[in-house]
């Protein structure tokens, strides 16, 4: 019985595509929904083109009422019956109540080597600190932002002349390798960490 994976996005969905394309053959999971907080998210059309059910709940009318926005997400998620939720470029902070509802089965990919640089502007912060390497982490989502158990990391070198944009592009390529590898192990119940050096 394959595990059902709902993927939450906010934009282009390149991580969603990498995850969706990886869930084939003997992979223990299949995508059951791609859900966005932005009805215009380009990733929605890409998911639909792959035959994955999609839905969108515009967060803006809720004017910062996170609980009300999340309550509007729930019917879509309940209908899709996900075993796992994968946040993939999902740019909304979730309330502890929502996280608790999916505790232990909601993953996120963050573009830094956690615990370094939780939050935003991770690449600019790594460059400003003069770090020799950067990367991305997949972690279990817990109520505290970007701080749950790390299930995998991919490291990339910081190169001379790197800008936040050039570093982001190098890290993003590794995100597309790391997240599918972690999801496959997670869906199979294998909690060994995935450690990649890009
Ligand atoms: C990227 O900045 C990535 O580092 C982070 O989410 C952003 C958008 O990713 N995980 P995607 O292309 O929408 O998956």
């Amino acid at each position: 019985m394959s595990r059902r994976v709902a993927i939450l996005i906010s934009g282009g969905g390149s991580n969603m595509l990498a995850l969706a394309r990886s869930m084939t053959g003997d992979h223990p999971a299949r995508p059951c929904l791609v859900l966005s907080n932005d009805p215009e998210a380009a990733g929605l059309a890409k998911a639909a083109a792959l035959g994955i059910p999609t839905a969108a709940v515009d967060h803006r009318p809720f004017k910062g009422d996170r609980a009300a926005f999340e309550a509007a997400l729930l019917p879509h998620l309940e209908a899709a019956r996900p075993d796992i939720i994968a946040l993939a470029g999902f740019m909304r902070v979730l309330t502890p109540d929502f996280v608790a509802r999916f505790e232990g089965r909601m993953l996120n990919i963050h573009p830094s080597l956690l615990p370094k640089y939780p939050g935003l502007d991770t690449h600019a912060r790594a460059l400003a600190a003069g770090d020799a390497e950067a990367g991305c982490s997949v972690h279990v989502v817990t109520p505290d932002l970007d701080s749950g158990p790390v299930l995998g990391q991919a490291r990339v070198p910081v190169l001379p002349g790197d800008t936040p944009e050039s570093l982001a592009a190098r890290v993003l390529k590794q995100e597309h390798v790391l997240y599918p590898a972690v999801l496959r192990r997670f869906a199979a119940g294998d909690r060994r960490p995935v450690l990649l050096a890009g």
Side-chain angles (χ1 to χ4, degrees):
M1 173 61 185
S2 70
R3 317 281 280 157
R4 298 168 61 86
V5 179
I7 306 172
L8 273 57
I9 67 170
S10 294
S14 71
N15 275 289
M16 174 276 297
L17 274 182
L19 292 174
R21 287 175 174 148
S22 74
M23 288 186 263
T24 59
D26 66 352
H27 191 297
R30 289 294 185 274
C32 65
L33 175 67
V34 171
L35 176 57
S36 180
N37 64 291
D38 178 354
E40 305 305 314
L44 290 169
K46 297 172 190 171
L50 293 177
I52 303 169
T54 63
V57 176
D58 191 339
H59 70 274
R60 289 167 297 189
F62 296 95
K63 298 192 184 344
D65 182 343
R66 296 187 189 283
F69 165 62
E70 291 166 357
L73 292 177
L74 282 179
H76 298 287
L77 288 168
E78 283 158 4
R81 297 181 287 109
D83 301 298
I84 298 167
I85 293 183
L87 306 181
F90 187 67
M91 304 307 275
R92 306 302 299 168
V93 173
L94 297 167
T95 64
D97 285 350
F98 186 91
V99 171
R101 183 183 288 265
F102 299 100
E103 185 97 39
R105 54 198 185 100
M106 181 154 61
L107 308 181
N108 181 47
I109 188 157
H110 179 75
S112 80
L113 295 173
L114 293 172
K116 294 181 86 170
Y117 315 128
L120 299 174
D121 303 320
T122 59
H123 305 306
R125 291 156 68 191
L127 291 173
D131 292 352
E133 61 178 9
C136 49
S137 307
V138 176
H139 64 95
V140 177
V141 176
T142 57
D144 298 328
L145 186 68
D146 299 331
S147 64
V150 172
L151 298 174
Q153 289 195 315
R155 315 176 90 83
V156 304
V158 174
L159 301 178
D162 256 337
T163 62
E165 293 70 27
S166 62
L167 183 52
R170 191 173 314 122
V171 170
L172 192 60
K173 284 192 178 67
Q174 290 302 309
E175 291 181 32
H176 299 159
V177 178
L178 178 68
Y179 212 171
V182 171
L183 177 62
R184 185 176 185 124
R185 282 196 183 174
F186 188 82
D190 178 349
R191 293 294 180 267
R192 287 176 300 147
V194 175
L195 302 174
L196 307 175

